[in-house]
Amino acid sequence: MKGNDMGNNITYWKQGVKDGVPICLGYLAVSFTFGIAARNTGLTAFQSSLMSATNYTSAGQFSAIGLIGVSALYFEMAVTQLIINLRYCLMSCALSQKLKEKTPLIHKFIMAFGITDEIFGISVCNDGKLNPFYIYGAMSVAMPGWILGTFLGVISGDILPLGIISTLSVALYAMFIAVIIPPARGNRILAGLITLSMISSLIFSKIRILSVISPGFKIIILTILIAGAATVIFPLKEEEYEG
């Protein structure tokens, strides 16, 4: 690797770390509640932390401990995880379009493991091509926060009042809004699409026939419909995409 490339990679990694710190704090709060739930299901601190380190998905892990609590079959757990986490396929496909053509396959595998809703949010907002080391930087602070919060939740969950725990859980949503609002302020189309996505998500949760659809499939359906329509109506010029 050339010296200039190494220097650029370190710069991107540092920026990823900087942008990943708020995600780390949000994960710390949410995984704390997961640790409490895992403890109530009978998992030890090691088992819960290992689950967070190897799965790294909030909705998937919360659903998993629910299934563990009712002694569900492995097949049921596998299908549930597939449905809930299927949206990451869409996110990975979207980010792959921002990578350079000659990006090594090993980088794509590592990035795919580290993709979450929040890391996708900050990565897709980057102008121009995406450097894998940016995501590595975000992962290097977000993942420890997720694992540490789980561990602390298991060993000390009963110490905090329920009201404080509920408040901590909201922090992640506030952080996610903080990720998407800044780029939307300078782009009316993006702001309109975000608003449309929020309204559509609300409609899906209120209409009875739509509310039975799993959260994972809701995200996939809305992403395909809204992003697909936006691609046709507001096509992005090649020179604009390259930044």
Side-chain angles (χ1 to χ4, degrees):
M1 182 179 294
K2 296 180 180 179
N4 289 340
D5 291 339
M6 177 63 76
N8 288 335
N9 291 338
I10 293 175
T11 300
Y12 280 110
W13 182 83
K14 288 180 178 178
Q15 185 61 43
V17 170
K18 180 181 178 182
D19 295 344
V21 168
I23 297 177
C24 171
L25 298 177
Y27 281 2
L28 196 63
V30 175
S31 60
F32 192 91
T33 60
F34 169 75
I36 296 172
R39 176 185 178 179
N40 294 336
T41 308
L43 298 182
T44 66
F46 174 76
Q47 291 169 334
S48 304
S49 301
L50 182 62
M51 178 185 286
S52 287
T54 54
N55 287 262
Y56 194 38
T57 165
S58 59
Q61 289 180 220
F62 274 106
S63 66
I65 59 174
L67 293 172
I68 292 173
V70 297
S71 301
L73 300 175
Y74 289 133
F75 177 74
E76 293 177 89
M77 298 180 67
V79 172
T80 302
Q81 294 303 312
L82 175 64
I83 295 173
I84 291 177
N85 295 319
L86 202 56
R87 67 187 188 279
Y88 293 127
C89 291
L90 290 177
M91 297 181 190
S92 297
C93 289
L95 289 183
S96 68
Q97 302 303 308
K98 289 178 66 66
L99 296 174
K100 293 181 179 178
E101 293 183 4
K102 295 183 178 179
T103 300
L105 189 60
I106 184 65
H107 284 300
K108 296 179 181 178
F109 275 122
I110 299 174
M111 292 170 63
F113 177 73
I115 295 299
T116 63
D117 298 334
E118 295 72 26
I119 290 182
F120 170 77
I122 62 173
S123 300
V124 80
C125 289
N126 267 259
D127 294 329
K129 293 296 183 182
L130 180 65
N131 187 305
F133 281 82
Y134 175 79
I135 292 185
Y136 296 163
M139 289 170 58
S140 64
V141 289
M143 287 191 69
W146 182 254
I147 299 169
L148 178 62
T150 301
F151 178 78
L152 294 176
V154 174
I155 65 172
S156 61
D158 292 339
I159 296 177
L160 295 179
L162 186 60
I164 294 180
I165 294 173
S166 299
T167 303
L168 290 175
S169 301
V170 178
L172 187 63
Y173 299 101
M175 182 274 301
F176 195 74
I177 291 175
V179 169
I180 62 175
I181 291 300
R185 293 177 62 184
N187 189 321
R188 292 183 178 180
I189 295 176
L190 182 58
L193 293 174
I194 291 174
T195 303
L196 177 61
S197 301
M198 291 180 175
I199 294 174
S200 301
S201 181
L202 178 63
I203 293 174
F204 266 64
S205 64
K206 295 299 181 183
I207 297 179
R208 180 173 298 179
I209 193 173
L210 297 177
S211 63
V212 298
I213 301 174
S214 70
F217 267 119
K218 287 179 186 176
I219 294 174
I220 293 172
I221 293 171
L222 291 176
T223 300
I224 292 175
L225 291 178
I226 297 175
T231 302
V232 175
I233 300 173
F234 309 110
L236 194 63
K237 297 179 181 178
E238 187 66 22
E239 57 271 22
E240 185 179 355
Y241 177 73
E242 294 290 345

